[in-house]
């Protein structure tokens, strides 16, 4: 009996040690995964195909509003119905300029009036769009500005995520207001002004100044009447960090053609 008890105790101790080993292994793996995600966030690197909850990131420095429009147009080209794009940034950072350029690119209309829906909360756009495959389809973009919404009740009454997901590409300014309602599969776009003496590593620089068309004297005389986004009156470059979460955002971000 004493020998059997000893063998039983030995097996129990072995099981505890094996359990501790598994726990330690899981802890090591968890720390490694956290470190990998931290590196991607810090350096804008993109790993393998993103699973739900994982991120793929790229960073662009846009020297002017034309460069911002080029980036927005590239994203519009890979967007599709059901996408959620969340725009993050302070007042005047350039969220509205990016959203307007995105909407104009989707509908191939450089003069489309697309103001930020600060008071309306939501603005909808709909039109027929010819896809890369040559097929014309009806496309919708739902542009939200949640700045004035203060609680979950207001958001629930003003934002229909289900309808937008089924019918449109959704752009959210001040998407932080969504809280726990934020879709797990989305593209986060973080935008901020860049200081003149600021050095940023691992970033793709876009400068479309040299792409400007020559203007005749009559156009120059009317220059004061052209629409100018107040977010760009300071002439500072903008840094855009694109963070794709889940789905196939990894492949789409890598396929951007700017």
């Amino acid at each position: 009996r004493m020998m059997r008890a000893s063998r039983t105790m030995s097996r129990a101790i072995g099981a505890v040690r094996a359990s501790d080993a598994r726990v330690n292994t899981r802890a090591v793996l968890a720390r490694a995964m956290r470190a990998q995600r931290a590196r991607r966030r810090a350096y804008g690197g993109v790993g393998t195909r993103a699973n739900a909850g994982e991120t793929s990131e790229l960073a662009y420095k846009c020297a002017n509003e034309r460069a911002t429009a080029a980036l927005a147009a590239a994203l519009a080209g890979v967007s599709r119905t059901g996408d959620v794009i969340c725009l993050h940034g302070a007042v005047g950072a350039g969220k509205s300029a990016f959203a307007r350029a995105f909407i104009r690119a989707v509908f191939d209309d450089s003069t489309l009036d697309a103001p930020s829906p600060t008071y309306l909360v939501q603005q909808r756009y709909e039109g027929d769009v010819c896809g890369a495959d040559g097929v014309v389809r009806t496309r919708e973009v739902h542009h939200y500005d949640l700045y004035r919404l203060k609680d979950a009740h207001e958001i629930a009454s003003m934002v229909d995520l289900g309808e937008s997901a089924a019918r449109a590409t959704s752009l959210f300014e001040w998407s932080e207001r969504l809280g726990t309602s934020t879709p797990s599969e989305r593209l986060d776009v973080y935008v901020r002004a860049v200081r003149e003496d600021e050095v940023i590593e691992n970033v793709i620089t876009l400068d479309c100044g040299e792409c400007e068309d020559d203007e005749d004297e009559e156009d120059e005389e009317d220059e004061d009447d052209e629409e100018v986004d107040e977010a760009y009156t300071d002439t500072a470059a903008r840094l855009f960090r694109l963070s794709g979460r889940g789905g196939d955002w990894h492949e789409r971000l890598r396929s951007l053609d700017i």
Side-chain angles (χ1 to χ4, degrees), residues 159-182:
V159 179
D160 190 338
L161 290 175
E163 181 188 16
S164 292
R167 300 179 53 178
T169 301
S170 302
L171 294 173
F172 285 93
E173 296 188 48
W174 301 100
S175 58
E176 297 84 357
R177 301 285 198 273
L178 289 173
T180 57
S181 298
T182 305

Side-chain angles (χ1 to χ4, degrees), residues 10-46:
S10 296
R11 285 196 295 268
I13 292 172
V16 170
R17 287 174 176 171
S19 176
D20 289 344
R22 287 194 294 271
V23 170
N24 289 336
T25 300
R26 286 196 294 270
V28 170
L29 288 174
R31 285 196 296 271
M33 290 177 66
R34 287 196 296 270
Q36 183 183 49
R37 287 195 292 269
R39 284 194 296 271
R40 285 205 298 266
R41 286 193 296 269
Y43 299 109
V46 180

Side-chain angles (χ1 to χ4, degrees), residues 4-15:
R4 284 199 297 272
S6 177
R7 286 196 295 269
T8 300
M9 183 175 294
S10 296
R11 285 196 295 268
I13 292 172

Side-chain angles (χ1 to χ4, degrees), residues 32-204:
M33 290 177 66
R34 287 196 296 270
Q36 183 183 49
R37 287 195 292 269
R39 284 194 296 271
R40 285 205 298 266
R41 286 193 296 269
Y43 299 109
V46 180
T48 57
R49 176 180 171 85
N51 296 316
E54 293 187 350
T55 62
S56 298
E57 299 189 0
L58 287 175
Y60 290 88
K61 179 183 176 183
C62 295
N64 46 45
E65 191 172 357
R66 283 180 177 267
T68 292
L71 175 59
L75 281 171
V78 300
S79 67
R80 60 175 73 114
T81 297
D83 284 345
V84 173
I85 300 176
C86 296
L87 307 177
H88 307 266
V91 173
K95 300 184 298 296
S96 297
F98 179 91
R100 179 171 57 249
F102 181 95
I103 294 165
R104 287 175 172 177
V106 168
F107 297 104
D108 193 22
D109 184 349
S110 61
T111 62
L112 179 64
D113 186 25
S116 182
T118 303
Y119 295 97
L120 298 176
V121 178
Q122 179 187 183
Q123 187 76 36
R124 299 189 176 197
Y125 304 86
E126 182 177 350
D128 292 333
V129 176
C130 183
D133 56 3
V135 178
V136 176
R137 300 178 178 86
T138 299
R139 186 82 185 269
E140 289 188 36
V141 174
H142 293 179
H143 182 195
Y144 293 91
D145 186 329
L146 308 181
Y147 180 74
R148 297 182 181 278
L149 302 187
K150 302 303 182 184
D151 55 46
H153 176 72
E154 283 188 320
I155 292 174
S157 64
M158 300 293 290
V159 179
D160 190 338
L161 290 175
E163 181 188 16
S164 292
R167 300 179 53 178
T169 301
S170 302
L171 294 173
F172 285 93
E173 296 188 48
W174 301 100
S175 58
E176 297 84 357
R177 301 285 198 273
L178 289 173
T180 57
S181 298
T182 305
S184 58
E185 185 174 319
R186 64 187 187 275
L187 175 66
D188 285 315
V189 178
Y190 300 90
V191 54
R192 66 173 178 83
V194 178
R195 299 189 308 275
E196 191 170 331
D197 60 345
E198 186 175 359
V199 177
I200 305 173
E201 297 182 350
N202 300 292
V203 66
I204 302 168

Side-chain angles (χ1 to χ4, degrees), residues 237-254:
R238 259 52 180 186
L239 177 67
F240 288 87
R241 291 199 177 274
L242 314 180
S243 180
R245 301 179 182 274
D248 63 348
W249 278 113
H250 170 79
E251 287 82 1
R252 285 196 270 171
L253 290 180
R254 278 303 192 190

Side-chain angles (χ1 to χ4, degrees), residues 217-236:
E217 293 182 1
E218 182 179 349
D219 290 335
E220 291 177 358
E221 291 175 359
D222 296 334
E223 190 177 32
D224 292 338
D225 297 329
E226 293 180 359
E227 178 185 17
V228 177
D229 192 281
E230 61 182 21
Y232 280 84
T233 55
D234 57 16
T235 71

